[in-house]
Amino acid sequence: MAAEQHAPTSGEYIVHHLTHWRNKEFTGTFDLTVFSYDSILFSVLLGVIGSFLLWRAAKSATSGVPGRFQAAVELLVEMVENQAKGIVHNANSRKLVSPLALTVFVWIFLMNAMDLLPLDLIPSLWAQAYGVMGHDPHHAYMRVVPTADLSVTMGLSVSVLLICIFYNIKIKGLGGWGHELISAPFGGHPALWLPNLAMQIVEFIAKTVSHGMRLFGNMYAGELIFMLIALMGGAWATVSLGTGLALSLLHIIAGSAWAIFHILIITLQAFVFMMLTLVYVGQAHDAH
């Protein structure tokens, strides 16, 4: 007789939901197990959706009375443009930087907003599909919040670093930026070249790491809190009827309250990442 399947413990439930979809059976020259397929899938999908929404707004824009969608997009574009003007003073650079900042905000907001979906919705659908494909559905891993994956947020911050390097070279010239690397912040004396270079490298690394870690930390914590709230709702099956009803009611109240508060968090984190992108690009335009 087959062994009875038992419900996962709290620890097993959290570990399962914090595990990425990866090809653990792959063995070859290149180790593809380092890639989180779920993060890649949802990042690309939400990037396409965000681009489509902005394209749709631009295509349907009219000079008359705008609709709600057009008005919302226009307010967003104006907000980003005003922030870019206050930080990046080069009008020619803003032709690229402003759309870049807008894309960053919309893309990260959409990725963050995946945290508002019911926690087990997409993982449950994926487990069913995984079982249809002939695999054990209990080993179907699926995380739907790309920004709760450190590789995604660090990839975004490294991309901002590369853009900053590009503008440093474009605005100051390769020689000018190279001179700045060895002459700031302590001065241009030859004895200070190595300390200056070391400080510049530390600054670039610190800004890049903090840029990605800030977004990851906030979204990872938010995702974990949703899991703990979900466990509260699932505990009704292991306790008495009265206690179970109380936990279920508390689960609904806590989940709703955290979801409403989380709307502020996902918006704020997208805005902070966008603003830091503008600040770092603006610093690349400034001479020391």
Side-chain angles (χ1 to χ4, degrees), residues 28-268:
T29 304
F30 301 101
D31 184 10
L32 296 182
T33 62
V34 299
F35 293 99
S36 302
Y37 300 146
D38 42 14
S39 296
I40 296 173
L41 170 65
F42 287 110
S43 295
V44 173
L45 177 62
L46 294 170
V48 171
I49 292 175
S51 299
F52 172 78
L53 291 175
L54 294 176
W55 170 81
R56 185 66 180 175
K59 183 179 180 181
S60 60
T62 62
S63 57
V65 178
R68 294 180 180 178
F69 178 62
Q70 181 182 336
V73 173
E74 287 179 352
L75 286 173
L76 179 60
V77 171
E78 184 178 358
M79 181 272 292
V80 174
E81 181 66 25
N82 289 336
Q83 296 296 334
K85 286 181 180 179
I87 298 173
V88 181
H89 304 296
N90 188 312
N92 189 47
S93 295
R94 286 201 303 272
K95 294 179 181 179
L96 175 62
V97 174
S98 294
L100 170 67
L102 177 64
T103 303
V104 165
F105 178 83
V106 173
W107 192 18
I108 293 180
F109 175 82
L110 291 176
M111 289 192 288
N112 291 350
M114 294 294 288
D115 217 1
L116 298 176
L117 292 176
L119 182 63
D120 290 303
L121 176 60
I122 295 181
S124 297
L125 295 175
W126 171 240
Q128 294 176 17
Y130 207 65
V132 171
M133 291 186 291
H135 302 287
D136 184 358
H138 293 88
H139 292 87
Y141 303 109
M142 177 64 68
R143 294 183 65 183
V144 302
V145 187
T147 44
D149 182 356
L150 184 58
S151 63
V152 172
T153 59
M154 288 305 300
L156 291 170
S157 63
V158 169
S159 299
V160 174
L161 172 64
L162 296 177
I163 293 171
C164 291
I165 293 175
F166 167 77
Y167 274 109
N168 269 300
I169 297 174
K170 179 182 179 181
I171 299 299
K172 305 164 188 175
L174 184 59
W177 184 49
H179 179 266
E180 181 181 284
L181 289 176
I182 60 175
S183 62
F186 301 125
H189 192 280
L192 299 175
W193 287 356
L194 285 179
N196 285 329
L197 180 60
M199 286 296 294
Q200 291 278 0
I201 293 175
V202 168
E203 180 183 354
F204 277 114
I205 293 176
K207 289 193 298 186
T208 302
V209 172
S210 64
H211 200 191
M213 286 292 293
R214 179 183 290 104
L215 177 60
F216 161 75
N218 282 278
M219 297 313 302
Y220 185 89
E223 186 181 32
L224 190 58
I225 291 175
F226 274 121
M227 293 179 190
L228 296 175
I229 294 175
L231 285 173
M232 184 190 304
W236 66 269
T238 62
V239 295
S240 63
L241 179 60
T243 304
L245 291 175
L247 285 175
S248 299
L249 180 60
L250 186 59
H251 159 74
I252 295 173
I253 296 174
S256 301
W258 179 246
I260 293 171
F261 179 69
H262 207 56
I263 295 174
L264 174 62
I265 294 177
I266 64 177
T267 306
L268 182 61

